Amino acid sequence: MSRIGRAPISIPAGVKVTLDDKRVSVSGPLGELTRELPVQISVVQQDSILTVQRSDDYRTSRALHGLFRMLIYNMVVGVSSGFTKELQLSGVGYRAVLQSPTKLELSLGFSHTVEVVADYGVSFELSSPTRILVKGTDKEKVGQVAANIRKLRKPEPYKGKGVRYANERVTIKAGKTAK
């Protein structure tokens, strides 16, 4: 059996889980998330513990078992404490301006500024003009919005200018040497 799939999910106080036929809804202080379950996967709730089970032992069922256990776990964590990704802008003149909690204007060395609008349930915060916090309840959406911002100007390997994750290490290449 899957090591990840068989691990129980404990539900913290203030989080409510609703199990319909093939749908899991999790609501908490930060919002509500729902997800459809495949036919092979079922979820059982006992007190404040969720257990994910599979109907058969086929390869796809085994793969979905661990996947949906983690997806449901991320839903529980998301509505109780939320997820954040931190991005860092490095380069001369690279900065971010917060237009609204869901709208960001970036100066990334282009001839124009780039506007980024967040998906539903995702918001932005600036700790400084070069540090962007992407926050939300859905881990998938938070990661995708952060990846879309990073894709606008990836860190280049010679000077390291660009948008990078806060804990990302960029290997700087040596330039050409004169003879």
Side-chain angles (χ1 to χ4, degrees):
M1 208 171 184
S2 168
R3 290 184 192 172
I4 294 173
R6 70 177 159 195
I9 302 168
S10 62
I11 303 169
V15 175
K16 182 183 172 203
V17 177
T18 308
L19 302 172
D20 291 337
D21 185 31
K22 283 296 176 183
R23 177 183 295 244
V24 176
S25 299
V26 181
S27 60
L30 297 181
E32 182 175 351
L33 297 171
T34 60
R35 186 169 293 275
E36 295 284 330
L37 295 175
V39 178
Q40 306 96 318
I41 303 299
S42 62
V43 179
V44 177
Q45 182 176 5
Q46 296 172 347
D47 299 329
S48 65
I49 293 179
L50 289 178
T51 329
V52 179
Q53 299 171 345
R54 62 177 187 245
S55 60
D56 51 46
D57 209 28
Y58 293 121
R59 185 179 177 94
T60 56
S61 300
R62 291 194 314 256
L64 290 173
H65 187 208
L67 170 71
F68 274 88
R69 188 264 176 206
M70 281 309 296
L71 290 174
I72 294 169
Y73 173 76
N74 286 339
M75 289 167 57
V76 170
V77 171
V79 298
S80 60
S81 60
F83 292 102
T84 60
K85 284 269 189 183
E86 188 174 2
L87 297 168
Q88 177 183 352
L89 306 176
S90 58
V92 177
Y94 286 26
R95 70 176 69 66
V97 177
L98 195 64
Q99 301 290 326
S100 70
T102 60
K103 195 173 184 184
L104 196 63
E105 188 175 284
L106 301 172
S107 298
L108 297 174
F110 299 122
S111 61
H112 58 282
T113 59
V114 180
E115 246 182 37
V116 178
V117 179
D119 291 344
Y120 177 75
V122 178
S123 63
F124 299 120
E125 279 185 22
L126 294 179
S127 55
S128 74
T130 58
R131 292 245 180 209
I132 304 167
L133 279 175
V134 183
K135 292 184 163 193
T137 56
D138 192 352
K139 188 175 186 177
E140 223 173 313
K141 284 184 182 178
V142 168
Q144 188 61 52
V145 169
N148 289 342
I149 294 172
R150 184 182 181 275
K151 190 167 53 171
L152 294 172
R153 181 72 97 172
K154 290 183 182 175
E156 56 96 18
Y158 295 103
K159 292 184 181 176
K161 294 175 15 175
V163 181
R164 65 176 80 170
Y165 296 111
N167 57 358
E168 181 180 10
R169 290 182 51 117
V170 177
T171 307
I172 305 296
K173 290 182 178 180
K176 293 183 178 180
T177 57
K179 283 193 170 190

